[in-house]
Amino acid sequence: IRDLRLRGIPAYPAFLVTNRSPWDSNPNLFQEEPLPLGSISNSTVVHCNESGKWSIYDSDEKGFNNSPGLWSDSKTTALLLGDSFVHGACVDPGEDFGGQIRLKYPKTINLGQRGNGPLLQLAGIREYGASLKPDYVFWFYTENNDLDNLRKEIDSSFLRRYLDPKFQQGLMNRTAGVDEFIETFTEYNYKLAQKTANPSLVTHLKFILFLRSLRKRVGLEVSPASHSSNEWKLLQGIRLFQTGGPSNIDPPKSEKSIGVSKDKLMYSMWFEQLPNFNKVLRSADDAVRSWGGQLVFVFLPEGNRFVDPSNKVYTLRTEVLSIVEALGVPIIDATDVIGDG
């Protein structure tokens, strides 16, 4: 973003509000400051870099990763909902799901956004789908994090309001307000990042002499790089309370020494979200049916299930698909396709 701005291109990051506490504490705040579901509109958006090449795209009239002009009055064929996979991480423009589907169905609008979970996808239906009334709404479910994202989203009293069919922020007609919010938020944090990236000599010396920095330099601190996931951090937290606190110079312990399996912990936490998932998906299906559209559920499997199929976490696929089948929603399961490949 810095490099693009130095070239005169006003670039912005792919945007996601993770701190929803202001809207939770003030239920009417959205009337003044909308909670965005996309990025800034009609701008250069920097998404991600996983292979040494930046994924950069030009956002559409509403701030999403689409070709320009799709929000016209003509009928929308398909609406895509999902997280970073649907958003287009980390591929070139046109190689994302929306770009590929538009090769055959040009009136396809992609609302995918990094970090989205089921409740934010329902929000997309309420805010944009209800106005577009597409023939088909493709709900992309990501096995490796959707139930975990839902676990966090359901804690937000503001996001839970989207379970009410009558609630919406009116984002379809508030693009200017969304852009203003993102502009203010981005510029504030951009200045902080610039300050951090260019520390003063005194600040730099303080960092060098900082005790933890010295420990790293002389090799007394072991970083558990192979266990950097949120689940592992939670397990380390459990161990902290069980043992009185491990030293950060200790090498990472095995799951057995912590006394709880990471997989069992994940299974338990995610299993608890199935009733919430059922409620969210039912609300989405009801909304799409209300305008005569068809909701289609697309299951995207986690790659590790093909390496470790006995992992208990992956049995949740059966539970999830059973919920979808009970609602009468058609399913596209990529597990079978990838498994056969």
Side-chain angles (χ1 to χ4, degrees):
I1 292 172
R2 178 198 61 202
D3 292 347
L4 287 170
R5 290 188 172 192
L6 288 174
R7 291 168 172 79
I9 302 173
Y12 295 84
F15 194 78
L16 173 70
V17 177
T18 55
N19 177 19
R20 296 142 194 155
S21 57
W23 292 270
D24 291 335
S25 59
N26 183 357
N28 295 318
L29 177 63
F30 75 91
Q31 296 174 355
E32 301 175 10
E33 293 190 353
L35 179 74
L37 298 183
S39 299
I40 196 166
S41 68
N42 297 312
S43 299
T44 298
V45 176
V46 178
H47 192 176
C48 52
N49 184 338
E50 293 179 345
S51 60
K53 180 181 179 181
W54 285 101
S55 173
I56 302 172
Y57 65 89
D58 293 328
S59 61
D60 67 12
E61 303 93 313
K62 301 295 182 180
F64 295 97
N65 186 9
N66 292 295
S67 305
L70 291 178
W71 296 83
S72 62
D73 294 334
S74 58
K75 179 68 173 177
T76 299
T77 304
L79 187 69
L80 311 185
L81 304 169
D83 59 9
S84 56
F85 277 102
V86 182
H87 191 171
C90 289
V91 299
D92 291 333
E95 293 183 358
D96 58 282
F97 289 172
Q100 291 298 301
I101 295 174
R102 274 192 292 273
L103 294 176
K104 188 169 184 178
Y105 301 99
K107 283 291 292 184
T108 295
I109 292 182
N110 177 9
L111 296 186
Q113 192 72 8
R114 60 185 299 182
N116 275 2
L119 201 47
L120 281 170
Q121 292 177 203
L122 174 61
I125 291 177
R126 300 273 190 239
E127 298 291 349
Y128 299 102
S131 296
L132 294 169
K133 295 179 172 54
D135 296 325
Y136 296 94
V137 175
F138 289 91
W139 181 289
F140 288 82
Y141 175 92
T142 305
E143 181 179 30
N144 64 313
N145 59 23
D146 264 26
L147 289 177
D148 196 50
N149 287 338
L150 178 58
R151 182 173 62 90
K152 301 166 187 173
E153 293 172 349
I154 209 71
D155 284 339
S156 168
S157 59
F158 181 78
L159 290 184
R160 287 200 304 273
R161 295 177 74 178
Y162 279 109
L163 290 168
D164 180 357
K166 298 180 181 179
F167 176 75
Q168 62 169 224
Q169 302 182 72
L171 297 183
M172 187 72 172
N173 300 311
R174 297 180 66 185
T175 304
V178 170
D179 286 352
E180 181 180 0
F181 176 87
I182 295 176
E183 173 82 23
T184 302
F185 187 93
T186 299
E187 294 310 313
Y188 173 78
N189 287 280
Y190 182 77
K191 290 177 181 177
L192 289 180
Q194 287 292 86
K195 184 177 180 180
T196 304
N198 300 287
S200 67
L201 178 60
V202 173
T203 301
H204 189 61
L205 287 173
K206 284 183 179 179
F207 172 77
I208 293 175
L209 296 175
F210 189 57
L211 180 58
R212 186 171 184 181
S213 178
L214 288 174
R215 285 202 301 264
K216 286 183 177 180
R217 291 176 184 276
V218 298
L220 291 179
E221 179 169 277
V222 180
S223 175
S226 61
H227 299 288
S228 59
S229 66
N230 290 332
E231 291 80 10
W232 179 257
K233 292 174 184 176
L234 180 57
L235 291 172
Q236 291 290 61
I238 293 172
R239 179 169 172 247
L240 175 68
F241 285 105
Q242 289 178 341
T243 66
S247 168
N248 65 356
I249 67 171
D250 293 333
K253 303 295 183 180
S254 66
E255 293 172 2
K256 291 182 180 180
S257 69
I258 296 175
V260 60
S261 164
K262 180 179 70 173
D263 299 334
K264 289 182 179 179
L265 181 65
M266 290 172 59
Y267 175 85
S268 176
M269 291 191 301
W270 293 6
F271 182 83
E272 292 176 354
Q273 293 305 316
L274 290 176
N276 289 327
F277 173 72
N278 186 11
K279 187 183 301 183
V280 171
L281 195 66
R282 183 181 297 275
S283 296
D285 187 44
D286 288 344
V288 176
R289 288 178 184 271
S290 70
W291 68 71
Q294 174 70 68
L295 183 68
V296 180
F297 188 83
V298 184
F299 187 93
L300 301 177
E302 182 177 8
N304 284 337
R305 77 156 34 249
F306 302 104
V307 178
D308 182 19
S310 63
N311 190 320
K312 189 177 182 180
V313 173
Y314 302 134
T315 63
L316 289 171
R317 167 175 170 264
T318 301
E319 304 282 352
V320 168
L321 294 183
S322 294
I323 290 173
V324 182
E325 289 174 353
L327 293 175
V329 174
I331 297 172
I332 298 174
D333 187 359
T335 307
D336 298 331
V337 178
I338 297 174
D340 291 343

